[in-house]
Amino acid sequence: VERFENVYQLRILPSIDENRRISGAILVFFDNSQLLRTEERLRLSEQRIRSIINSSPSLISLKDTMGRYVVVNTAFSDFFKK
């Protein structure tokens, strides 16, 4: 998970003078290191959960608010394919 040491995002914006001409540049640095580490942890956690769900012999499914299936495990899929 600690694959990222420091990751930065750079934004360059024009600096506009009173005559509406570009007179320079504004450089803004964002430290995205923690965000990327958190995203990596979340991805690994989701993989673990999906692996547990898919290896379960129980029929597992998840529907959205419209009643559509968004997740079904292997046992569920195999049972209803018959």
Side-chain angles (χ1 to χ4, degrees), residues 4-66:
F4 307 103
E5 289 189 28
N6 291 312
V7 178
Y8 298 95
Q9 176 184 9
L10 168 63
R11 284 202 181 152
I12 303 172
L13 306 166
S15 177
I16 309 293
D17 66 17
E18 61 276 350
N19 296 319
R20 301 182 54 91
R21 292 187 189 152
I22 297 175
S23 60
I26 302 169
L27 299 145
V28 182
F29 287 90
F30 297 94
D31 184 352
N32 288 337
S33 305
Q34 187 61 39
L35 173 65
L36 292 176
R37 281 192 285 274
T38 302
E39 287 175 345
E40 178 73 4
R41 282 190 215 98
L42 176 61
R43 187 183 64 73
L44 292 172
S45 176
E46 288 173 342
Q47 283 179 346
R48 282 191 295 270
I49 290 170
R50 186 165 298 279
S51 177
I52 291 167
I53 289 171
N54 278 329
S55 63
S56 172
S58 299
L59 306 181
I60 300 173
S61 67
L62 176 65
K63 290 184 176 183
D64 65 13
T65 57
M66 300 297 291

